[in-house]
Amino acid sequence: MFGPRGSSLAPSGPPPGSFSTDLKSANISRTGTPRTDLGGFMGNDYITADNAITSDQRQIDLRDKISKEMKIKIGSEKLLEAIVSKNAKQTKEQRLKVESELNSSNRKIVELKSQLEIEIDRSNRPSTPSRTRLSGLLQGSPLKTPTREVEILEYAQNSTDLESESPTYILAEILQALEFDGMQPDYYVEQANNLVELFKRYPALKYDLAWAIFGLRVQTMLLSESREVVAAGYRVTRHAIADRRSLQIIRGLNTDSLVILSLVRETKASIEREQALKFVRAFLDVKGGVHELSNAVIRTVVSIAEHHDDRLRNIALLTLSELLIRNPPIVVLAGGVGPLADTLVEGNYHGSESLAMALLHLLDSPRQRRQLKSGHELQAAFTPFTDPASIHGHEEKLKSSARVIAAILKTWPGIFALSSGNFSAITSLLLSLHYPVPAARDLILDLLFDVLHIKPPSWTSSYLAGRRLTTYGRVTNLQAESLDHGPGMEQEDQSRNFSLIDHFTTLLLAIFINCGLLKALSNLVEDKSDPALTRKATLLLGEVLKLANHSLAGNTANQDLHVMPSLLVSTSQEEAENHPLATGIIYQIDSVNRTLHRSGLAQKTQLTGLTGTQELNNSSRPSDPVKPKLNVDMDDLQFRSLVLETQVLATVNFLKWRWDLISDIIEGPLLNPKRLEEAIKASKFLKRLTGFYRPLKNRFSEARNTKPNQRYVRTGCALIKTLLQNPEGIAYLTESKLLRQLADCLAQLDRTSDLNSAPPLFLPHQLLDTLTGGYFALLGALSSDPNGLLIIERWRMINMFYHIMDLKDRNDLVQALLGNMDFSLDSHLRVMLSKGLTACPKNIRIYTTKLLRKYATKPLRAENGQEQELPRCEWAIRLLVTQLYDPEVEVCEVAVQILEEACNQKSHLEYVVRCRPALDHLGEIGAPLLLRFLSTSLGYQYLNGLDYITQEMDDWFLGRNESYVNLVEASLCKAVSLHPEGHRGGGDEHLQPHDYGLVPPHFYRELTRTVEGCKLLKDSGHFEEFVATVQESWAESENREIMLKVKGCLWAVGNVGSMELGASFLEETDVVAWIVKIAANSDSMTMRGTAFFVLGLVSRSLHGVEILAEHGWNGATDDLGRSLGYCLPPHLGVIFSMNLAVDSKPARWQRTPQMRISNPLSDDDPVNARILSLVADLGNTVLTKRAAGDLFSLKSKANDKFKSTALFRKVMFLLESHHFRLPVRRFVIDLFDKSVMRHIVLEDESEDD
């Protein structure tokens, strides 16, 4: 097949991503060669008859092949499901084979379907002969032999099965087409594009290349005089790379010299240089390919990265940073660290964070740390803030530097890199707040908000704009006070949610306070030159004080928490000059703290009391009002006056009604039976209000679905709830035309109904664009009350609901119905819910399963403070357990997550265990829920009866501990990343975004929650094995496998020690002393960080706090004496006592096999020796100008010397072994004749050499 699948057989433009032929230097017509007249060679009748016969047969064959592959695919999927349910370790090899077969079947099915579509399309075309893509490309080309063109055209016209031709034949045809010399550049570019498309369609083809022929074609293209042809050659070679062996073959074609020649070309050869650099980057995508990059090529990339005006500088920097992570010695040897550090200082590179991460990677282990000269390269990122000359007028540069600093401060190697000189870099950053540059000050404050993970409150923008703080949080405070006595989640499982980020932030806060953060902020608060900046500093200062009071341990918190001592003195002395200013600032900070306290209280109460109560539909019912805004017992005159003010009685235009006042009346006075009776009988207030919602009046239903119009839905729900509170209101609602008309509109959805006269109300576009979906919210308000359910049954709406559930093409209607109903009461609605869970499509089952969250996780504490009956929740739990057996894995995963959340309450957990769910078929998805069962004796006995505990314990002991380390570190990376919602990495597929930064569930932690589990752990001897591993291998800092095993043991010890029952294991083994030793003395920075986190886990138990106190570490506790899980050393020097200035020996340069030259500067010919000496002088900036002039003079006198391949090899050796700037490299290579490169690449040495 000569064209991409699905493409037209007529000549067309180049495929996407290929080189345009318009890039050629001269537009020369390619149609000058006369074409052979094929008019009498074949007739249309022959082609038509042949196509009619063979096309049908090919379609039948393709369908048979597709059917066969589908059967293979289905069988492979079933076999894979059976294998996954077994032990993963025993069936790993078998699973890989089945997955390979399944992937192969999927690829074949896609290819066969594509061929079938092409065949059907071809059979429907007119019978006129068409040219294939290859014939179109070669038509009119001045080939050497016209007979070859005729042969190709004859084959293209006569063949009836080109689409099923072997790709090897197409490859041979293209390579043969590339053999012709003297063609125009666009001809070779088109052939190269065809070859790339062939590699894309058949990826396996590149594994069977005949490199003797293919390599020669590539060499010919790379030696072309046309830049476009050379670029196409690099592109073809890049797509032909298969493995490390192919890279070695490609380098054997002498491509290194060609790549260097292309990279040093002038900027106008941008397309050639870009493809050459992409070719170099392709080495990074191959396993072990980084070791095939020569020092000469990397030196050239370094020279591009050093050249500030080069267009490819950014991609060169990115390449160096990736190389620095993959193979640090070769980058250090080529001098690539310097450009990376200089870029951090400049702040002009938008991806500076990636450069910083590469340098941080080197700092972790001692062996890699020796690659850096000083270990302080990262401190260059602080230069833009600390240099007064570079602050003014460089906002973009400062923003880039701020991002780099934030990335550095969020990693362990970054903090250690800044710890030298008692964190002098951080101190200088805080001192730069004294510079009167608002932009720099604002960026530093934003940086502090970011690295300390302080989320500004909702009223921040109003406060910074200068508004008063007196009303902020007033409403939320009222809600908090009312909700404080309402529902609240049990706090018995707070130990499950240990935040590693909070612990890390506590250490950062101690560092910043030690560096003078409070003094810097207090000085900024006293500066009144910029009111907005002062307010921002005041807000940050209040947050820092609150965070320090909560998180820092006792003596650490009291060391530097005297904020603004000068202001306190001035406040106590009334005769002081700045007494009014000091008093105002103190009052401002106190006001901010009080407002933060109110907002924090409201937020905390809402999070604990309203978890999972939000509706999933935008038009869902609002929450109940906190308290009525109007007095319920107002007199008649006041009530009538309010009704008149609503304008409901004055006009029927609802846009003129005062909806806020209407809502207040409904939630207030209408709750009084007398006022309700008056509204029904003595005025038209209620009649007009309910008439607005009647479907046939097209007023409410025609309103646009916008956020302001949602008030109509909220008011309607409140009206129905108010009417249901009174018998007279119930009677009025029962006989109202509103529900009668709504029932008729719902009946229209029944296909067996005769009500089709009026236009349907619930059309898809109306649900989306208008408030029609709000009618389901009104029905949901009815379903929340027993009397409302009776009204629904009276109008036979339940039957209509069942008909809606049967609509296969109206998922939007089903979601609107289920999402707004209230299933708290036992009624037919629960039967309808069960139908949505089991008999609906997959997306509806997932949606309905999520609806169960608010019922299954409902707290047991009622509004009166009494314990509820568990049966109010057990129906939802039973339904969720049923969902565990859904055929779709996504549904099971949602059910597991909700059940895991419900198990936060012990009573719910025990009921889930009593349901005895089988989770073996879910594998890793059901593992977190099974771990939860271990936290109770009932669950332990259930799992023990299934023989789950012993198998899981062996699994964790033999390998899952190491996997847990990767999971924790991936969670930490996601939590501190700048884009936490980005694509998920490979190690955190079992984590949800809200779990990032939290300690994942651990088997040994759950095991030690019960006495039976502690006894099993003691009998197994696993804990002693963990301790022994820590004691034996704690000092390892180079062997990655041993370090991973030690980290796994540390996390296991920490999780056991975080439980009160597991603290006894710590005392028996004295393992805490070893962990403290690792945190203070390990040569690996990440190992010290792991030890710090593990000590935080140990401090979760009060017994662990006591053990840590014996070793001098301070654990933070709240006012009630409960541990917060934050611990700090007695002073920061305990952890940050690592010396980064390691005396390292310079890396020795090793010669490549192609450069075996004893002494590159020596030569028997004095002229050659002089040339080599002058080239070496070009590396000296002082001698560059004179050496360049002498080389020009020598070239004019002895031009033949610059045609010697031996001299060229020695010069290239000099360029590889020494540092030269990019213009110098270009100048040196341009001195030599172009024929030299052809001789070297084709290994055609001259006689003189």
Side-chain angles (χ1 to χ4, degrees):
M1 54 193 72
F2 294 94
R5 293 183 180 275
S7 64
S8 173
L9 295 178
S12 60
S18 62
F19 291 103
S20 173
T21 56
D22 295 333
L23 294 175
K24 59 184 181 295
S25 57
N27 294 325
I28 302 176
S29 174
R30 298 170 50 202
T31 57
T33 303
R35 295 184 298 169
T36 305
D37 184 10
L38 301 178
F41 184 74
M42 70 176 64
N44 290 342
D45 295 338
Y46 173 78
I47 297 177
T48 304
D50 185 76
N51 282 342
I53 296 173
T54 60
S55 179
D56 293 339
Q57 184 62 39
R58 284 197 299 271
Q59 292 182 32
I60 294 173
D61 294 339
L62 288 172
R63 288 191 174 95
D64 292 340
K65 292 179 181 179
I66 292 174
S67 177
K68 179 181 178 182
E69 291 297 333
M70 288 296 296
K71 293 178 181 179
I72 296 175
K73 175 185 175 182
I74 294 173
S76 300
E77 289 175 345
K78 292 182 178 180
L79 181 59
L80 186 61
E81 290 178 0
I83 292 175
V84 170
S85 62
K86 298 180 181 179
N87 193 334
K89 293 186 176 180
Q90 299 176 357
T91 60
K92 181 177 180 181
E93 184 177 355
Q94 187 178 6
R95 177 173 58 83
L96 293 176
K97 291 181 179 179
V98 176
E99 288 178 348
S100 176
E101 184 64 26
L102 182 60
N103 294 333
S104 176
S105 297
N106 289 330
R107 288 195 300 269
K108 290 180 180 178
I109 290 172
V110 172
E111 293 178 2
L112 291 172
K113 287 183 177 179
S114 176
Q115 293 178 18
L116 180 61
E117 291 175 0
I118 295 173
E119 194 59 47
I120 294 173
D121 181 68
R122 179 196 297 172
S123 64
N124 295 330
R125 291 178 183 173
S127 59
T128 55
S130 59
R131 298 176 299 173
T132 63
R133 183 180 180 186
L134 186 59
S135 65
L137 291 176
L138 298 180
Q139 177 183 355
S141 299
L143 302 179
K144 283 186 176 180
T145 57
T147 56
R148 176 61 189 161
E149 180 184 357
V150 173
E151 291 174 1
I152 295 176
L153 290 174
E154 287 177 355
Y155 179 83
Q157 296 290 348
N158 284 297
S159 177
T160 59
D161 201 15
L162 284 177
E163 294 296 330
S164 60
E165 193 67 48
S166 171
T168 55
Y169 175 81
I170 306 174
L171 176 64
E173 289 294 322
I174 297 176
L175 292 180
Q176 192 167 0
L178 287 172
E179 183 180 0
F180 303 119
D181 296 332
M183 308 295 291
Q184 295 297 323
D186 59 338
Y187 170 80
Y188 297 106
V189 170
E190 288 183 4
Q191 298 300 330
N193 289 338
N194 295 338
L195 194 53
V196 170
E197 290 298 322
L198 185 66
F199 284 142
K200 289 181 178 179
R201 290 200 306 272
Y202 301 99
L205 188 63
K206 56 190 176 184
Y207 291 94
D208 301 323
L209 285 176
W211 282 99
I213 302 175
F214 182 82
L216 183 60
R217 302 295 179 270
V218 168
Q219 286 178 320
T220 305
M221 294 183 69
L222 295 180
L223 289 170
S224 173
E225 296 294 330
S226 172
R227 297 164 185 162
E228 289 75 28
V229 175
V230 176
Y234 284 123
R235 185 166 179 257
V236 169
T237 311
R238 173 161 54 90
H239 283 84
I241 295 175
D243 48 23
R244 187 172 180 178
R245 174 60 181 162
S246 63
L247 290 178
Q248 294 171 350
I249 295 175
I250 290 172
R251 289 194 63 199
L253 302 175
N254 297 308
T255 54
D256 286 353
S257 300
L258 291 168
V259 169
I260 295 171
L261 177 62
S262 297
L263 290 177
V264 301
R265 287 192 183 277
E266 297 179 354
T267 309
K268 59 183 179 181
S270 59
I271 188 170
E272 177 183 346
R273 300 180 70 231
E274 178 182 341
Q275 289 299 321
L277 193 51
K278 284 185 176 181
F279 171 71
V280 173
R281 288 184 56 80
F283 282 62
L284 305 178
D285 298 330
V286 179
K287 184 178 180 181
V290 67
H291 300 287
E292 297 300 327
L293 283 172
S294 67
N295 187 62
V297 173
I298 299 176
R299 286 265 189 190
T300 308
V301 176
V302 170
S303 66
I304 296 175
E306 292 176 334
H307 198 60
H308 294 272
D309 298 330
D310 198 290
R311 177 174 166 268
L312 299 180
R313 182 177 183 240
N314 288 346
I315 192 173
L317 289 170
L318 180 62
T319 305
L320 289 179
S321 64
E322 295 180 13
L323 284 172
L324 191 61
I325 295 176
R326 304 279 187 87
N327 194 356
I330 62 173
V331 180
V332 175
L333 187 65
V337 177
L340 297 179
D342 293 341
T343 305
L344 294 180
V345 178
E346 296 166 7
N348 297 325
Y349 180 60
H350 294 292
S352 300
E353 301 94 315
S354 61
L355 307 185
M357 291 299 107
L359 294 174
L360 289 171
H361 176 73
L362 291 185
L363 288 173
D364 186 27
S365 65
R367 184 181 61 185
Q368 293 182 342
R369 205 177 301 147
R370 297 190 187 100
Q371 306 292 338
L372 301 178
K373 294 182 179 179
S374 64
H376 306 308
E377 285 80 2
L378 288 168
Q379 296 186 9
F382 291 78
T383 304
F385 285 101
T386 57
D387 184 8
S390 62
I391 287 183
H392 295 275
H394 297 84
E395 292 188 15
E396 291 299 324
K397 181 178 180 180
L398 293 175
K399 289 180 181 179
S400 177
S401 298
R403 291 195 300 268
V404 174
I405 294 173
I408 294 173
L409 288 172
K410 292 177 181 178
T411 62
W412 283 110
I415 299 181
F416 278 98
L418 303 178
S419 63
S420 61
N422 195 19
F423 299 96
S424 59
I426 297 179
T427 303
S428 62
L429 177 68
L430 296 176
L431 290 176
S432 63
L433 286 172
H434 291 288
Y435 296 140
V437 182
R441 287 177 167 182
D442 188 65
L443 284 174
I444 294 175
L445 293 181
D446 289 337
L447 171 66
L448 294 173
F449 272 108
D450 182 23
V451 298
L452 295 178
H453 293 89
I454 296 175
K455 184 179 180 181
S458 58
W459 42 266
T460 300
S461 57
S462 299
Y463 172 65
L464 295 181
R467 298 172 189 168
R468 296 180 60 190
L469 278 169
T470 53
T471 57
Y472 302 152
R474 177 175 294 172
V475 176
T476 55
N477 191 28
L478 291 175
Q479 292 178 350
E481 292 175 356
S482 62
L483 291 170
D484 187 48
H485 304 287
M489 297 293 291
E490 294 184 5
Q491 302 298 323
E492 58 191 31
D493 288 325
Q494 288 300 314
S495 58
R496 298 186 188 274
N497 298 326
F498 174 49
S499 175
L500 299 175
I501 295 299
D502 290 347
H503 193 199
F504 186 76
T505 304
T506 300
L507 180 63
L508 270 180
L509 181 61
I511 293 173
F512 274 100
I513 291 178
N514 182 66
C515 293
L517 171 63
L518 298 177
K519 183 178 180 181
L521 290 179
S522 64
N523 292 335
L524 189 57
V525 168
E526 297 177 32
D527 187 0
K528 295 297 181 181
S529 59
D530 190 340
L533 200 61
T534 302
R535 285 175 171 270
K536 194 171 188 177
T538 303
L539 179 62
L540 177 59
L541 184 56
E543 290 279 9
V544 167
L545 290 174
K546 185 179 70 171
L547 187 61
N549 182 58
H550 173 265
S551 304
L552 293 184
N555 59 352
T556 307
N558 294 329
Q559 288 177 0
D560 299 293
L561 289 187
H562 281 295
V563 188
M564 302 173 294
S566 59
L567 287 180
L568 293 175
V569 173
S570 300
T571 305
S572 60
Q573 299 175 359
E574 296 185 2
E575 65 278 2
E577 181 180 356
N578 59 343
H579 174 75
L581 175 62
T583 306
I585 293 175
I586 295 295
Y587 172 77
Q588 192 74 256
I589 294 175
D590 179 64
S591 179
V592 168
N593 284 330
R594 284 187 282 107
T595 309
L596 286 172
H597 175 71
R598 290 198 302 267
S599 301
L601 178 62
Q603 183 182 8
K604 180 179 178 181
T605 309
Q606 288 173 352
L607 289 176
T608 57
L610 299 178
T611 301
T613 60
Q614 288 79 11
E615 296 290 346
L616 298 176
N617 196 295
N618 289 334
S619 60
S620 60
R621 304 182 311 279
S623 58
D624 292 336
V626 177
K627 70 173 186 177
K629 298 180 180 180
L630 296 177
N631 187 11
V632 177
D633 299 325
M634 65 172 55
D635 55 26
D636 298 349
L637 294 177
Q638 289 179 326
F639 178 69
R640 292 171 188 169
S641 176
L642 288 175
V643 171
L644 290 174
E645 290 180 13
T646 60
Q647 301 298 316
V648 174
L649 302 179
T651 177
V652 295
N653 187 357
F654 65 92
L655 297 176
K656 296 182 180 181
W657 294 354
R658 292 185 55 187
W659 285 95
D660 55 341
L661 185 56
I662 293 174
S663 179
D664 292 343
I665 292 175
I666 292 174
E667 297 170 353
L670 286 187
L671 293 174
N672 190 328
K674 292 183 179 180
R675 303 286 82 82
L676 180 61
E677 181 181 2
E678 181 179 350
I680 294 174
K681 298 180 179 179
S683 69
K684 294 184 179 181
F685 175 75
L686 212 55
K687 181 180 179 181
R688 286 195 174 179
L689 195 56
T690 54
F692 165 72
Y693 291 98
R694 284 164 54 183
L696 297 184
K697 286 198 173 185
N698 294 329
R699 300 168 73 189
F700 172 77
S701 60
E702 293 296 330
R704 304 301 299 172
N705 185 14
T706 60
K707 187 175 181 180
N709 285 351
Q710 291 299 317
R711 59 181 177 174
Y712 304 145
V713 182
R714 292 192 294 268
T715 303
C717 293
L719 177 61
I720 290 180
K721 290 186 177 182
T722 299
L723 292 176
L724 291 174
Q725 301 299 317
N726 191 281
E728 190 166 351
I730 295 173
Y732 179 81
L733 195 58
T734 304
E735 302 300 330
S736 169
K737 293 182 180 180
L738 168 64
L739 298 181
R740 186 187 313 164
Q741 294 180 7
L742 186 56
D744 292 340
C745 293
L746 289 172
Q748 293 179 359
L749 297 171
D750 184 6
R751 296 189 172 119
T752 62
S753 175
D754 297 332
L755 298 176
N756 295 321
S757 58
L761 178 66
F762 299 101
L763 295 176
H765 69 276
Q766 288 182 319
L767 285 178
L768 184 64
D769 300 333
T770 68
L771 292 182
T772 303
Y775 283 116
F776 291 105
L778 303 182
L779 293 174
L782 275 176
S783 66
S784 63
D785 189 273
N787 295 315
L789 289 174
L790 293 176
I791 297 175
I792 291 177
E793 293 178 0
R794 182 185 184 280
W795 293 108
R796 303 183 184 280
M797 293 186 188
I798 292 293
N799 297 337
M800 303 166 197
F801 291 165
Y802 282 119
H803 291 310
I804 292 176
M805 297 294 297
D806 291 333
L807 298 177
K808 301 299 182 183
D809 56 344
R810 292 302 306 274
N811 289 343
D812 58 334
L813 208 58
V814 176
Q815 288 187 5
L817 174 63
L818 293 175
N820 287 282
M821 291 296 110
D822 192 328
F823 303 100
S824 300
L825 301 176
D826 191 5
S827 64
H828 276 286
L829 295 179
R830 290 188 182 176
V831 180
M832 182 181 71
L833 180 68
S834 300
K835 186 174 182 179
L837 290 169
T838 55
C840 289
K842 177 177 126 178
N843 59 335
I844 298 297
R845 298 204 306 274
I846 294 176
Y847 179 83
T848 312
T849 305
K850 292 179 179 179
L851 290 177
L852 292 174
R853 173 179 274 109
K854 65 178 179 180
Y855 303 105
T857 59
K858 186 177 295 184
L860 294 182
R861 191 169 299 278
E863 294 182 1
N864 55 4
Q866 301 297 324
E867 293 293 329
Q868 294 182 4
E869 296 289 337
L870 181 61
R872 296 189 62 177
C873 305
E874 66 179 14
W875 68 271
I877 295 177
R878 285 198 303 269
L879 291 177
L880 283 171
V881 172
T882 304
Q883 293 303 96
L884 296 176
Y885 309 106
D886 192 277
E888 295 292 342
V889 179
E890 293 88 343
V891 180
C892 301
E893 189 172 4
V894 173
V896 168
Q897 293 172 3
I898 299 174
L899 285 173
E900 189 180 358
E901 185 179 342
C903 289
N904 287 334
Q905 302 180 69
K906 185 176 181 180
S907 55
H908 290 185
L909 173 58
E910 292 178 349
Y911 184 76
V912 174
V913 174
R914 285 198 294 269
C915 292
R916 304 180 66 83
L919 300 174
D920 294 343
H921 63 289
L922 296 180
E924 291 294 329
I925 296 176
L929 187 58
L930 289 174
L931 287 181
R932 286 296 181 93
F933 291 177
L934 284 175
S935 60
T936 63
S937 298
L938 182 64
Y940 179 89
Q941 295 170 5
Y942 168 65
L943 295 178
N944 193 34
L946 298 176
D947 198 25
Y948 167 82
I949 298 178
T950 54
Q951 292 183 7
E952 193 74 4
M953 177 179 284
D954 293 340
D955 199 13
W956 276 80
F957 183 74
L958 295 176
R960 290 280 290 280
N961 272 330
E962 287 78 1
S963 302
Y964 184 84
V965 175
N966 296 329
L967 185 64
V968 173
E969 294 181 353
S971 174
L972 281 171
C973 290
K974 285 290 184 181
V976 301
S977 65
L978 297 177
H979 305 286
E981 298 299 328
H983 64 276
R984 290 149 68 169
D988 61 339
E989 61 271 12
H990 302 304
L991 287 177
Q992 299 299 318
H994 59 270
D995 293 329
Y996 294 154
L998 300 179
V999 178
H1002 197 285
F1003 174 79
Y1004 289 101
R1005 181 176 62 190
E1006 303 299 326
L1007 188 66
T1008 51
R1009 289 180 182 273
T1010 60
V1011 177
E1012 297 90 342
C1014 291
K1015 184 177 183 303
L1016 178 63
L1017 179 60
K1018 188 174 184 62
D1019 295 339
S1020 67
H1022 287 184
F1023 191 85
E1024 288 75 13
E1025 290 288 340
F1026 296 148
V1027 175
T1029 302
V1030 172
Q1031 293 175 348
E1032 293 173 1
S1033 307
W1034 71 271
E1036 180 62 46
S1037 59
E1038 299 297 343
N1039 192 314
R1040 294 292 179 182
E1041 293 184 1
I1042 296 178
M1043 291 177 63
L1044 184 63
K1045 187 174 182 180
V1046 173
K1047 288 181 180 179
C1049 293
L1050 285 174
W1051 282 113
V1053 169
N1055 278 282
V1056 171
S1058 64
M1059 297 288 100
E1060 292 292 345
L1061 293 177
S1064 59
F1065 291 92
L1066 303 178
E1067 282 192 341
E1068 294 173 0
T1069 56
D1070 196 26
V1071 68
V1072 176
W1074 288 94
I1075 301 176
V1076 171
K1077 185 177 182 180
I1078 293 174
N1081 300 317
S1082 177
D1083 290 333
S1084 172
M1085 297 176 180
T1086 53
M1087 184 67 76
R1088 290 196 186 193
T1090 301
F1092 176 78
F1093 285 136
V1094 170
L1095 291 176
L1097 272 176
V1098 170
S1099 69
R1100 297 290 289 176
S1101 65
L1102 293 177
H1103 202 70
V1105 173
E1106 296 176 359
I1107 297 176
L1108 286 172
E1110 295 176 0
H1111 295 85
W1113 284 61
N1114 306 300
T1117 57
D1118 59 10
D1119 296 335
L1120 299 179
R1122 295 175 299 190
S1123 174
L1124 298 175
Y1126 310 136
C1127 65
L1128 292 175
H1131 56 87
L1132 296 175
V1134 172
I1135 297 181
F1136 302 104
S1137 57
M1138 185 178 292
N1139 184 17
L1140 300 180
V1142 181
D1143 294 333
S1144 59
K1145 296 180 180 180
R1148 296 183 60 187
W1149 186 82
Q1150 298 179 355
R1151 298 176 181 177
T1152 59
Q1154 294 83 356
M1155 299 290 182
R1156 297 191 180 117
I1157 302 175
S1158 58
N1159 187 0
L1161 293 180
S1162 63
D1163 197 287
D1164 296 337
D1165 190 329
V1167 177
N1168 289 347
R1170 175 61 178 165
I1171 292 174
L1172 293 174
S1173 176
L1174 291 174
V1175 170
D1177 290 343
L1178 290 174
N1180 188 333
T1181 55
V1182 178
L1183 304 176
T1184 300
K1185 188 174 181 180
R1186 181 183 61 81
D1190 292 347
L1191 284 172
F1192 263 125
S1193 177
L1194 282 175
K1195 181 176 175 60
S1196 61
K1197 296 178 181 178
N1199 189 31
D1200 293 341
K1201 299 296 182 181
F1202 291 93
K1203 296 181 180 180
S1204 169
T1205 57
L1207 180 62
F1208 182 80
R1209 289 181 184 277
K1210 291 188 176 184
V1211 169
M1212 292 298 292
F1213 183 82
L1214 285 176
L1215 296 180
E1216 180 179 0
S1217 56
H1218 294 80
H1219 177 268
F1220 293 93
R1221 292 181 295 111
L1222 182 63
V1224 173
R1225 292 176 178 271
R1226 182 184 306 129
F1227 168 75
V1228 172
I1229 293 179
D1230 287 345
L1231 289 174
F1232 286 85
D1233 191 80
K1234 294 181 180 180
S1235 62
V1236 175
M1237 185 63 70
R1238 177 174 291 274
H1239 291 319
I1240 290 179
V1241 172
L1242 299 179
E1243 297 180 351
D1244 182 19
E1245 304 290 346
S1246 62
E1247 295 181 359
D1248 295 339
D1249 296 334

